[in-house]
Amino acid sequence: MREKDWSQTLLGPVKQWPQSLRTAVSVMLAAPEPALIYWGRELVVLYNDSARFMLGNKHPEGLGVSFKVVFQESWTLLGPLLEQVLDTGEAVHHENLLVPLVRFGFLEDCYFKFAYIPTRDDDAGVGGIFIIVTDTTAQVLGARRLALVRELSLRTALSETVEGVFRAAEDVLGQSTADVPFCLLYELRAERARLVVHTGLAQAPEEGDDLVEGRAWPLTEVANSRHEQLIEQLPERFATLLDGAAGGQPPTRALALSLSDAAEQESRLVLVVGLNPRIALGDDTRSFLRLLARQLATSIESTRALEEKTRRAAQLAELDRQKTQFFANVSHELRTPLTLMLGPLEDALTDLREPLAGSQHQRVALVQRGAVRLLKLVNQLLEFTRLETGRAGARFQPVDLARLTQELAGHFESAAHRAGLTLSVDCPSLGEPFWVDPEAWERIVFNLLSNAFKFTLEGGLTVRLRLEGDAGVLSVRDTGAGIPLEAQPRLFQRFYRVEGAQGRSFEGSGIGLSLVQELTKLHGGEVGVWSRPGEGSEFTVRIPRGHHHLPADRLASGSSSVARDAFQRDSFVQEVEGWIPALPGPRPLSPSPAPPVTAPEARPSATRDGRVLVVDDNADLRAYLKSVLEPHFEVETAEDGQAALESMRRRAPDVVVSDVMMPRLGGFGLLRALRDAPALRATPLILLSARAGEEASVEGLEAGADDYLVKPFSGRELLARVQTQLTMYRLRGESALQLGRELALKEAVQERDDFLSVASHELKTPLTGLKLHLEMLERMLPAPVRAQVSERLSNTRKQAQRIGALVESLLDVSQVASGRLQLHHESTDVMALVADCLAQGREELERAGCTLTFEARGPLHAEVDPVRLEQLVRNLLSNAARYGASRPVELQLGEAGKHLRLAVVDHGMGVRPEDRERIFGRFERAVSARRFGGLGLGLWVARQVVEAHGGGISVTDTPGGGATFTVLLPRRAD
């Protein structure tokens, strides 16, 4: 104001100003807040430095000029208010008043909070107006835009289809023309582009070559680069489209943004948003449009995932139906060859005229027991599929249920005696017949008793039948291991088995209890279970009295004798007996007396090559494996993994052959126990499993097994694999242990890098929200309060920026370590980019007490990734500020042949020659971490970025002390 020639203004020379004006100007200039004075009826404009934003490019020419000239665009709105104050002498206040201003060459919508206060002249009249003003434009726009994004999120979240998301987006965005004059969302699929969201324009290009080739909008370019693109001069290019645009003044520019994360996606989305010509395209507007695009992309992707989930659920239901039908067909087809197997096998075992020799009789009996068990599984599968498809051919008839149940339970008496268990059957007469399907009831009783035997190692079993009210109740109680409470609700689900259950065997299809439930429901009844770990379990089956609850067409005319399937009975009993360890002496293998069993000829103990431990819960398979291996090795057997582990601790074997699924401790559990025991870690283990296929074999080998053999297999194949593992075991020695350690280390590093990547991505979302809310909070605070907490807000921003830098560093670590670091080269004005970095990092350098000197020669352009180059410069400047505090820092930019040369020179503590290579390592520092903070990643990331560009980075001494980091980058990308 002192330099202004006031004699040329409406106020005249300063010496002629009235004292009241001088006093008002003194107060205005001393005020820390923005303040203005409009003096006289001409409203001559005076203002302090803090209020310069009101004039923009009109400063300083607007000083001393009439308000009607300086702010002529807003005179229609503000003129009456000013004249009211001059005429009445009463103050006027306004909150967030929309005022159109031309400050930077275009008409701009601005929001202000202001107070017009009358100022008295020397004659006690109103000489002028004192104005206190606050620019609330950012606050108003921020709140309005945040509300828009929130509404978009809520409305799209209610949509169940992607098309519904598009329509909801149209409704929301169509009502927000102040921020989004028009909005077009295009979907690019293959070589076609389709308009899916359309608001604010009377018409828009919907599809065709103009879209794909970029003559209408640069859709393909934006989708491929995933970088937003500003579209200029819309009236000339799309005059017909903008006639119907919302708002009085049509937009002249638009911004195109990609909504897809990857350029190679099958379906890519590009958003074209019109820009309000009365709102500047600054960082706030760009951030808002990016947030809007991200929200829209998130809603679309979430809904697509929901649609895909629904579609897959329907496919799975159809696959389940087809699987059930397949099981039914296969079960039917298997019964014929099984019948042809079981008949001749039974004849051979019971033939008294031409009896089989001892060893042959044993082999045939083994085959017969396996065939009977296979028939049991086929019958269960067939029955289950019939029940699931509603084709169960049940025939209900009146039956003496007590007698039938007692007869069925009696088949297990011998097995209970051999197992050392008590079997109590308490089935008094019920006084009336019950309508049941005898074959179905047989399956219910056999499945429950078989299940009880499997999981009862000591104590006994109790079978009770009682009449309770209008139902007969069968209960099978055992003193077994019990069932955990959390597993009980799932017991009757098909294929479900309790993990870690202690039993005699791990064999089974997992449909026994499910079949019991389905057969009980077929009778109009229900099943239940009570269990407590360590005490036992009790299963109950409740069948209603009478037959009125049963289908009339399924009722038999009267009681009849039905010949039940003997093979089914034998299959259950033989399976239970197979779980019981054999007693000394010959074991009955068929209904007829077995011929004497002769052991296979074996080598003398001194010539057997090594010791093999065979582990399997099936007694027949254990005996078979022993017979195959015993002529060549010393063989010991164990019924499960726990028994095998105890045997190995007493005496270590040379090779272990183990089944996968066993009670107490299975094959994989035994494998883990072996690898965890230092004395047994190198012992070869061959897994045997019925799970066929490459995936099952890979799973076993990846778990650490030395070999994986799928059932069925030949004896010669087993013998060859055992011999191979024994030879490799003797040659391998300690090398196997070292290899295991290396693999474990590699796996741990991979898991760590994956964790860093996931953690970094997860941290970025809340951190972005924190920054946004902090910025909004600062804008919403009144000026006095903001002044009081400005230092704290500044510290909070700095800490948020620091956390953001740490998160980015962690993300860079995971990307580089996993080979996912990708560069996006583009022609870049390097000098402008570096200057921008210096402007952003100047505050950090000033806090460190460093003065910065920037030295560059001529305009420099290069094909680089601008984001990564900016990160490189920031890292080197931060490093210089940290280790060269209170010392000058120099940044030099120039050319070196075909390379771009960037040097950051500090005068700090320097780097010792022996540390110059090490400091570029991950988590490395030249000095102690206690003295200087940080993760030790900045220089490591810098080197990775430079080398990814095909360049190099080095460090040398700075004359006089300090370090100079020099970067050479090719100016053209290969």
Side-chain angles (χ1 to χ4, degrees):
M1 291 186 66
R2 292 189 181 93
E3 297 177 358
K4 181 75 173 181
D5 183 3
W6 292 99
S7 63
Q8 302 299 317
T9 68
L10 296 174
L11 295 178
V14 175
K15 293 180 180 181
Q16 298 178 7
W17 289 5
Q19 184 59 42
S20 56
L21 175 58
R22 295 185 182 186
T23 302
V25 171
S26 298
V27 173
M28 176 192 72
L29 294 177
E33 296 83 7
L36 302 92
I37 295 175
Y38 300 155
W39 193 258
R41 299 300 299 187
E42 290 298 323
L43 299 173
V44 178
V45 178
L46 303 169
Y47 52 89
N48 61 10
D49 283 346
S50 299
R52 287 166 53 182
F53 67 86
M54 290 288 295
L55 284 82
N57 293 338
K58 297 177 183 179
H59 171 79
E61 288 77 8
L63 191 61
V65 181
S66 173
F67 178 94
K68 301 173 185 179
V69 176
V70 178
F71 300 111
Q72 58 180 336
E73 67 274 7
S74 58
W75 173 252
T76 304
L77 174 66
L78 298 181
L81 298 177
L82 296 171
E83 290 179 345
Q84 176 185 339
V85 175
L86 292 175
D87 294 338
T88 64
E90 296 179 357
V92 174
H93 303 268
H94 271 285
E95 294 276 350
N96 300 328
L97 181 66
L98 173 59
V99 179
L101 289 180
V102 177
R103 299 186 295 180
F104 303 102
F106 68 96
L107 187 61
E108 181 181 1
D109 284 345
C110 304
Y111 294 86
F112 298 103
K113 171 186 176 183
F114 63 82
Y116 289 166
I117 304 171
T119 301
R120 302 294 172 176
D121 57 16
D122 294 345
D123 298 329
V126 178
I129 303 174
F130 194 94
I131 300 96
I132 299 175
V133 63
T134 301
D135 188 351
T136 60
T137 303
Q139 178 181 339
V140 172
L141 293 183
R144 188 174 71 195
R145 291 166 172 177
L146 186 60
L148 170 60
V149 175
R150 185 187 303 110
E151 179 67 14
L152 180 64
S153 174
L154 293 176
R155 292 283 298 277
T156 55
L158 299 176
S159 302
E160 298 181 354
T161 63
V162 174
E163 190 63 30
V165 172
F166 292 155
R167 302 290 75 79
E170 283 184 343
D171 292 342
V172 174
L173 297 176
Q175 300 173 10
S176 305
T177 55
D179 294 304
V180 186
F182 71 83
C183 175
L184 307 175
L185 180 62
Y186 289 93
E187 181 182 35
L188 280 71
R189 191 181 295 272
E191 298 298 326
R192 304 294 299 172
R194 181 175 68 94
L195 181 64
V196 295
V197 173
H198 170 206
T199 69
L201 294 182
Q203 58 180 3
E206 296 186 4
E207 58 183 351
D209 294 337
D210 286 349
L211 290 174
V212 178
E213 296 174 3
R215 290 193 293 270
W217 307 108
L219 302 180
T220 303
E221 181 180 350
V222 172
N224 291 338
S225 67
R226 288 176 290 136
H227 291 158
E228 61 193 46
Q229 184 170 330
L230 182 63
I231 305 168
E232 303 277 2
Q233 299 177 347
L234 289 184
E236 289 78 3
R237 298 175 60 191
F238 305 105
T240 59
L241 303 184
L242 298 173
D243 291 341
Q249 184 177 352
T252 60
R253 299 185 298 172
L255 192 67
L257 305 97
S258 172
L259 269 63
S260 304
D261 292 334
E264 63 275 6
Q265 286 183 353
E266 179 183 353
S267 173
R268 298 173 293 171
L269 296 170
V270 176
L271 181 67
V272 181
V273 182
L275 301 177
N276 189 336
R278 299 176 69 163
I279 298 178
L281 181 60
D283 292 340
D284 289 347
T285 300
R286 287 183 181 270
S287 298
F288 157 67
L289 294 177
R290 291 166 187 161
L291 180 62
L292 185 70
R294 282 198 299 270
Q295 178 58 54
L296 193 55
T298 301
S299 299
I300 293 171
E301 290 304 316
S302 300
T303 308
R304 277 180 176 168
L306 178 62
E307 284 186 333
E308 178 65 16
K309 184 178 180 180
T310 304
R311 184 185 65 81
R312 291 187 62 187
Q315 288 181 342
L316 289 175
E318 176 62 19
L319 287 175
D320 185 64
R321 187 194 65 78
Q322 294 179 4
K323 178 191 67 178
T324 302
Q325 184 63 41
F326 171 75
F327 283 162
N329 296 339
V330 169
S331 300
H332 276 292
E333 292 300 321
L334 286 175
R335 288 173 66 89
T336 299
L338 279 173
T339 302
L340 295 176
M341 290 170 56
L342 286 168
L345 287 171
E346 188 69 22
D347 294 341
L349 290 171
T350 58
D351 192 342
L352 299 179
R353 291 184 301 173
E354 299 180 4
L356 296 173
S359 59
Q360 295 300 326
H361 188 280
Q362 187 180 34
R363 293 190 181 103
V364 173
L366 185 65
V367 174
Q368 187 259 358
R369 289 197 298 273
V372 169
R373 181 168 178 268
L374 181 58
L375 179 61
K376 169 181 173 282
L377 294 174
V378 169
N379 286 337
Q380 278 191 328
L381 200 58
L382 180 59
E383 186 68 24
F384 187 79
T385 53
R386 283 175 176 172
L387 290 170
E388 279 212 328
T389 55
R391 293 185 288 119
R395 298 294 297 175
F396 303 100
Q397 62 187 57
V399 172
D400 184 346
L401 200 59
R403 181 178 177 183
L404 176 60
T405 304
Q406 192 164 11
E407 176 188 342
L408 296 174
H411 290 293
F412 292 86
E413 287 183 358
S414 175
H417 178 72
R418 287 185 56 214
L421 303 176
T422 61
L423 177 60
S424 174
V425 181
D426 182 12
C427 298
S429 176
L430 300 181
E432 62 179 272
F434 266 69
W435 288 77
V436 297
D437 182 317
E439 289 189 6
W441 187 255
E442 179 178 296
R443 291 189 179 93
I444 291 174
V445 174
F446 280 174
N447 272 294
L448 291 179
L449 279 172
S450 172
N451 187 73
F453 262 99
K454 178 184 289 188
F455 297 104
T456 303
L457 304 180
E458 58 184 17
L461 291 78
T462 302
V463 180
R464 287 192 179 93
L465 186 65
R466 290 286 186 273
L467 187 63
E468 296 181 2
D470 292 333
V473 179
L474 169 70
S475 68
V476 177
R477 186 183 181 102
D478 62 62
T479 59
I483 304 165
L485 183 63
E486 62 273 13
Q488 293 179 23
R490 302 183 59 191
L491 276 179
F492 298 100
Q493 293 180 6
R494 58 178 177 173
F495 311 125
Y496 177 74
R497 291 193 285 189
V498 180
E499 293 186 6
Q502 301 298 314
R504 299 179 183 275
S505 174
F506 205 76
E507 297 176 341
S509 59
I511 63 173
L513 291 178
S514 178
L515 186 61
V516 168
Q517 178 174 256
E518 295 300 325
L519 291 173
T520 304
K521 288 181 179 178
L522 196 64
H523 287 77
E526 59 183 10
V527 297
V529 61
W530 170 91
S531 184
R532 183 173 296 166
E535 295 186 18
S537 307
E538 182 177 7
F539 289 86
T540 57
V541 176
R542 182 179 294 269
I543 301 294
R545 299 166 69 178
H547 58 77
H548 299 292
H549 58 284
L550 300 173
D553 60 339
R554 293 294 180 182
L555 300 179
S557 57
S559 179
S560 60
S561 177
V562 179
R564 294 192 295 274
D565 191 348
F567 278 126
Q568 175 172 280
R569 178 197 63 209
D570 292 343
S571 66
F572 277 98
V573 175
Q574 286 187 15
E575 183 178 43
V576 169
E577 290 180 342
W579 298 334
I580 303 170
L583 298 174
R587 174 186 173 185
L589 299 175
S590 69
S592 63
V597 178
T598 58
E601 183 178 354
R603 298 183 186 179
S605 178
T607 64
R608 297 182 186 178
D609 189 15
R611 182 171 179 271
V612 180
L613 177 61
V614 174
V615 192
D616 201 297
D617 58 329
N618 186 289
D620 289 332
L621 188 56
R622 282 200 309 271
Y624 171 70
L625 296 176
K626 183 176 181 181
S627 68
V628 171
L629 298 173
E630 202 166 33
H632 306 278
F633 308 100
E634 180 184 351
V635 181
E636 184 179 349
T637 62
E639 64 272 13
D640 57 46
Q642 188 63 41
L645 198 58
E646 294 170 359
S647 172
M648 284 187 282
R649 287 168 179 165
R650 293 192 298 269
R651 183 184 175 192
D654 296 316
V655 179
V656 178
V657 179
S658 174
D659 191 19
V660 170
M661 303 179 72
M662 296 180 293
R664 295 207 295 174
L665 188 65
F668 285 109
L670 176 61
L671 176 60
R672 287 191 294 269
L674 280 180
R675 299 303 179 241
D676 291 339
L680 302 172
R681 185 173 299 160
T683 305
L685 188 144
I686 301 175
L687 286 177
L688 308 178
S689 176
R691 292 180 58 194
E694 182 180 353
E695 291 184 0
S697 301
V698 170
E699 180 186 2
L701 296 174
E702 286 183 344
D706 297 274
D707 206 345
Y708 191 95
L709 198 55
V710 178
K711 302 174 185 177
F713 51 82
S714 67
R716 288 190 299 172
E717 182 181 8
L718 173 65
L719 190 63
R721 297 205 184 196
V722 171
Q723 185 62 59
T724 300
Q725 290 301 324
L726 185 61
T727 303
M728 292 176 62
Y729 168 61
R730 290 171 176 171
L731 295 175
R732 190 163 54 234
E734 287 300 319
S735 62
L737 178 60
Q738 183 63 27
L739 178 60
R741 288 174 177 170
E742 293 176 358
L743 291 175
L745 179 60
K746 181 179 179 181
E747 195 171 339
V749 171
Q750 181 63 42
E751 291 177 355
R752 182 197 64 194
D753 290 336
D754 292 342
F755 170 77
L756 288 177
S757 178
V758 172
S760 301
H761 278 291
E762 292 299 321
L763 284 171
K764 289 179 73 175
T765 300
L767 185 59
T768 302
L770 173 62
K771 291 180 178 178
L772 179 61
H773 285 79
L774 185 62
E775 182 179 346
M776 290 179 54
L777 176 62
E778 185 175 2
R779 292 171 180 168
M780 294 171 62
L781 290 175
V785 177
R786 185 166 60 249
Q788 291 177 2
V789 298
S790 60
E791 183 176 354
R792 295 184 180 180
L793 289 174
S794 176
N795 291 334
T796 304
R797 283 196 303 272
K798 293 174 184 176
Q799 296 305 319
Q801 291 172 357
R802 183 180 179 188
I803 294 174
L806 292 176
V807 170
E808 292 294 339
S809 296
L810 292 176
L811 186 58
D812 289 335
V813 169
S814 64
Q815 289 179 338
V816 173
S818 58
R820 298 195 300 267
L821 179 65
Q822 296 182 353
L823 299 181
H824 302 283
H825 291 86
E826 58 184 68
S827 181
T828 304
D829 185 343
V830 179
M831 182 179 295
L833 185 146
V834 172
D836 187 48
C837 290
L838 293 179
Q840 297 178 18
R842 189 174 299 276
E843 182 179 353
E844 179 182 359
L845 291 168
E846 290 176 352
R847 285 200 309 269
C850 298
T851 58
L852 179 64
T853 303
F854 180 32
E855 207 177 287
R857 298 180 180 176
L860 293 174
H861 289 78
E863 293 180 4
V864 295
D865 185 326
V867 175
R868 292 299 179 182
L869 182 57
E870 181 178 350
Q871 179 185 21
L872 169 66
V873 176
R874 286 202 313 268
N875 284 350
L876 293 179
L877 288 176
S878 177
N879 187 73
R882 180 180 292 115
Y883 297 105
S886 304
R887 305 289 180 85
V889 175
E890 303 165 18
L891 194 149
Q892 302 170 356
L893 182 64
E895 296 179 281
K898 295 182 179 180
H899 288 76
L900 187 71
R901 181 181 181 276
L902 173 69
V904 176
V905 183
D906 68 61
H907 298 273
M909 62 179 59
V911 181
R912 294 178 301 180
E914 60 269 23
D915 293 330
R916 289 177 183 172
E917 180 62 28
R918 181 178 61 81
I919 61 173
F920 291 103
R922 183 163 40 173
F923 307 116
E924 292 287 350
R925 301 177 179 84
V927 295
S928 171
R930 295 182 179 179
R931 185 177 174 189
F932 294 92
L935 296 176
L937 294 172
L939 291 179
W940 180 74
V941 171
R943 167 174 270 186
Q944 304 304 317
V945 170
V946 170
E947 292 181 350
H949 281 84
I953 182 172
S954 61
V955 57
T956 56
D957 288 334
T958 301
T964 299
F965 288 86
T966 304
V967 175
L968 292 177
L969 295 176
R971 298 190 64 178
R972 297 183 62 85
D974 293 336

